[in-house]
């Protein structure tokens, strides 16, 4: 059993809470499973029997901590806020999903959540996707509303950057991902304070981190 990684093949079946999913194919790589690698973990796209797709996320050993259970519960109360669909999540533990973790030990404290449509803002920039002035303005306004709604409730993503912002251009929606280290009165302190990412990082946050109620302000200003 591999406690560091979840090795899933294309179309492999995986049962979670009596529902059967299978591993989706990467849209740009025929024959290859759809797996995305992040700074703290990995995300695998799963297809359900219906039209919905889901994200199966598991964390690198350093970040695979019991606090992810309380973080998941706390995030659920904010899942109806604009931009926080990723807060609809199920967290796996040896108590709640013993068979799943016995088969895939690396899924301990992993999560199942909706797969968010669209692409990251990072990809929009690096691929030089053409945007009209009106579309740019609409996306900026949407992002501003999402982040303002968080701050009004004493919340902050704390790592606003192109890779953590999903843009659904068809529906003019903005969603936030990698939300496990959000700041909030009921949210546990993360293993490491987010320090920001290149291009979105204030010089002070690189030293002491930016886990606070105003932790989005600099990155959000750059993004908008």
């Amino acid at each position: 059993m591999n406690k560091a990684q979840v090795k899933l093949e294309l179309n492999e079946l995986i049962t979670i809470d009596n529902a059967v999913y299978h591993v989706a194919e990467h849209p740009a790589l025929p024959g290859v499973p759809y797996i995305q690698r992040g700074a703290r973990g990995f995300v695998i796209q799963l297809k359900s029997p219906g039209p919905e797709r889901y994200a199966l996320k598991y964390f690198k050993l350093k970040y695979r901590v019991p606090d992810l259970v309380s973080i998941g519960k706390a995030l659920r109360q904010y899942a109806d806020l604009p931009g926080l669909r990723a807060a609809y999540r199920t967290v796996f533990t040896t108590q709640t999903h013993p068979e799943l973790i016995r088969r895939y030990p690396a899924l301990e404290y992993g999560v199942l959540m909706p797969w968010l449509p669209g692409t990251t803002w990072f990809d929009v920039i690096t691929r030089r996707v053409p945007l009209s002035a009106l579309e740019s303005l609409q996306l900026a306004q949407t992002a501003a509303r999402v982040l303002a709604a968080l701050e009004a409730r004493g919340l902050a993503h704390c790592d606003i950057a192109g890779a953590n912002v999903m843009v659904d251009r068809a529906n003019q929606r903005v969603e936030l991902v990698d939300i496990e280290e959000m700041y909030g009165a009921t949210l546990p302190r993360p293993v490491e304070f987010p320090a920001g990412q290149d291009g979105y990082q204030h010089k002070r946050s690189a030293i002491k981190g930016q886990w606070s109620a105003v932790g989005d302000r600099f990155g959000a200003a750059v993004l908008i």
Side-chain angles (χ1 to χ4, degrees), residues 97-173:
H97 297 80
E99 292 299 324
L100 180 68
I101 295 173
R102 189 174 298 119
R103 184 175 180 184
Y104 306 103
L107 283 181
E108 187 171 16
Y109 305 123
V111 298
L112 182 71
M113 52 193 168
W115 183 270
L116 302 175
T119 186
T120 65
W121 184 246
F122 174 84
D123 285 335
V124 173
I125 295 298
T126 56
R127 295 174 184 172
R128 299 181 180 274
V129 177
L131 299 175
S132 68
L134 177 60
E135 187 176 11
S136 296
L137 177 61
Q138 290 171 334
L139 288 173
Q141 290 174 330
T142 301
R145 284 193 293 267
V146 166
L147 295 165
L150 293 187
E151 188 168 317
R153 291 163 176 79
L155 303 170
H157 182 281
C158 297
D159 195 12
I160 293 298
N164 291 335
V165 176
M166 297 290 298
V167 174
D168 180 1
R169 296 175 61 200
N171 297 296
Q172 284 295 308
R173 295 186 63 165

